[in-house]
Amino acid sequence: MKNIKLHLFLSATILLLTGCSTVPYTQTEQTEHARTENGRLYQELAPSCVTAEEYNYLTGIWNSGQDSLALQIPLCKATSHLLRQNRKQSFTVIGLQGSAENDSDTSAKEKDEKPPKDHELHTYAGYTLCYRESYEQSEWVAYSLTRSQLEHKVTGRTNDFRADTLISTGSAKPADYKGSGFDRGHLAPAADMAWSLKSAHDSFLMSNMSPQAPSFNRVIWKLLEEAVRNWAQQYGTIYVVTGPVLEKESNEYQSIGESEVAVPEYFYKALLVFIPVYAENNSATGEIEAYHVQCAAFIVPNKGSGKDIYKFICSVDLAEERTGLDFFANLPDEVENLAESECGEIFLEP
């Protein structure tokens, strides 16, 4: 990387949590304002930056599958098993290279390892999740959300809540929530999935629901969901992992319905945004030299709150401690360690 002065691309548009905004700059105005008003030395950002090549690799992996994990997919028992079963050079991901073993080092027992119980991975239109049968809900739902998706809304809420037939043990059912006093709370919000009919319908599967207090779901959680969409609109793409904090055994939680759906006490969101960094001598052409990685998490109690969302912000490291998950593990280790140890400035209270 060149040791020259670079400018950080930061949008100047202020988006309020209420959904209102100032008159937005055009993309060109945003770019020019950011380059002139928000410039900083690259050497100040380098430890939490990825190169353009690394960025292209990280953002080029879109789906969890037999050969790779998308950036937003966290490491849990299920995804770690998936990686162990596909331990080949071409499957090694950035950030895991130091710990991944070669096929020759893999024991026969490990090669024949069965998938972990109570952790079931599924990918749908727009998002991926890991379902926990013992809690009758997903421990995480992961997706990326783009400005383009927000600007190409094709449908509203479908409200077709239904059991997820892909869950081998059977998912929770809409009837489990009836008369419980809890909302069927989305993990991947319906408003984030309105860019296609398929993704909108998939967002109403019960595997994407968790029992949420109405005063939580309809106020503070809604505000946080709106903030995520604002950040996606402002910065182009945001990577999201969200779910209940399942830090106790399932039988230690209150439960509802015939399926005994556990009622979480807290919910979280882990977020990541890439901010383009421009070389000073390339500002006219817009050539990007690197990307500044900014992360933050929110952990919010499942109850009403008169506080704003920024009272619940924390580092991704803290969210990992609470959830037992490893978020954004594909990032280069040095970048991940720094970015996840602090709250990115773009996520801080305006």
Side-chain angles (χ1 to χ4, degrees):
M1 303 293 294
K2 300 177 181 178
N3 187 22
I4 58 176
K5 184 174 181 181
L6 302 172
H7 290 292
L8 177 65
F9 177 84
L10 289 173
S11 171
T13 303
I14 300 174
L15 295 171
L16 304 179
L17 292 179
T18 58
C20 301
S21 66
T22 59
V23 177
Y25 291 125
T26 65
Q27 190 64 44
T28 299
E29 289 171 336
Q30 286 180 336
T31 301
E32 291 307 315
H33 178 82
R35 288 172 182 166
T36 57
E37 298 297 326
N38 296 301
R40 64 177 61 188
L41 293 177
Y42 172 68
Q43 49 264 37
E44 296 176 1
L45 297 173
S48 57
C49 283
V50 295
T51 66
E53 182 181 4
E54 288 171 328
Y55 170 82
N56 289 335
Y57 172 81
L58 289 165
T59 58
I61 302 174
W62 295 112
N63 300 304
S64 66
Q66 294 303 309
D67 54 316
S68 58
L69 295 179
L71 174 62
Q72 65 270 23
I73 305 299
L75 284 180
C76 65
K77 289 184 178 180
T79 52
S80 295
H81 168 80
L82 181 66
L83 286 178
R84 286 195 298 272
Q85 295 303 301
N86 297 284
R87 192 171 291 149
K88 298 180 181 179
Q89 184 64 35
S90 62
F91 298 160
T92 302
V93 293
I94 293 177
L96 297 179
Q97 292 176 352
S99 58
E101 303 173 39
N102 295 322
D103 282 336
S104 59
D105 299 325
T106 306
S107 67
K109 180 180 178 180
E110 196 173 50
K111 285 183 176 180
D112 296 332
E113 177 187 8
K114 294 181 179 179
K117 294 181 179 180
D118 196 30
H119 291 76
E120 194 168 320
L121 289 173
H122 291 284
T123 296
Y124 305 86
Y127 64 93
T128 298
L129 59 75
C130 181
Y131 195 81
R132 300 291 303 278
E133 169 63 23
S134 61
Y135 299 89
E136 285 295 5
Q137 61 200 279
S138 297
E139 70 174 343
W140 58 261
V141 174
Y143 62 99
S144 61
L145 181 63
T146 69
R147 182 187 295 123
S148 175
Q149 289 170 335
L150 291 173
E151 293 176 348
H152 291 84
K153 181 178 178 179
V154 300
T155 185
R157 288 177 61 94
T158 62
N159 290 321
D160 54 339
F161 295 96
R162 63 203 187 279
D164 187 344
T165 57
L166 292 181
I167 304 300
S168 63
T169 54
S171 74
K173 303 178 291 292
D176 290 320
Y177 288 72
K178 187 175 182 179
S180 69
F182 290 93
D183 286 353
R184 297 165 293 192
H186 280 75
L187 298 177
D192 291 8
M193 299 292 141
W195 43 270
S196 82
L197 290 175
K198 177 62 174 170
S199 58
H201 284 293
D202 282 0
S203 74
F204 283 88
L205 290 168
M206 294 305 296
S207 55
N208 186 42
M209 303 298 154
S210 187
Q212 295 181 344
S215 57
F216 165 83
N217 179 42
R218 304 174 195 182
V219 185
I220 187 69
W221 194 241
K222 180 182 179 182
L223 289 173
L224 183 53
E225 291 174 340
E226 290 173 350
V228 169
R229 286 191 287 276
N230 286 341
W231 287 317
Q233 181 69 41
Q234 194 167 2
Y235 298 106
T237 301
I238 190 169
Y239 297 87
V240 183
V241 191
T242 185
V245 178
L246 304 177
E247 53 193 344
K248 301 190 294 188
E249 296 298 322
S250 58
N251 59 10
E252 298 181 56
Y253 288 102
Q254 175 188 355
S255 64
I256 61 172
E258 181 182 2
S259 302
E260 299 184 342
V261 184
V263 179
E265 297 170 354
Y266 295 87
F267 287 88
Y268 71 88
K269 288 187 185 291
L271 309 171
L272 181 150
V273 166
F274 291 103
I275 309 294
V277 180
Y278 297 87
E280 182 179 34
N281 60 346
N282 289 328
S283 61
T285 62
E287 182 177 344
I288 297 171
E289 290 288 325
Y291 291 83
H292 183 202
V293 178
Q294 296 208 28
C295 297
F298 293 81
I299 299 178
V300 189
N302 187 13
K303 60 183 181 181
S305 174
K307 300 177 181 179
D308 65 47
I309 63 169
Y310 300 103
K311 300 300 182 183
F312 302 101
I313 195 170
C314 64
S315 68
V316 171
D317 279 346
L318 179 58
E320 289 180 334
E321 291 179 18
R322 292 286 299 274
T323 63
L325 302 171
D326 185 357
F327 300 115
F328 312 124
N330 280 10
L331 290 171
D333 289 337
E334 180 183 6
V335 176
E336 180 186 6
N337 292 339
L338 180 58
E340 294 186 355
S341 68
E342 57 191 16
C343 299
E345 61 185 18
I346 68 167
F347 298 111
L348 299 179
E349 186 172 8

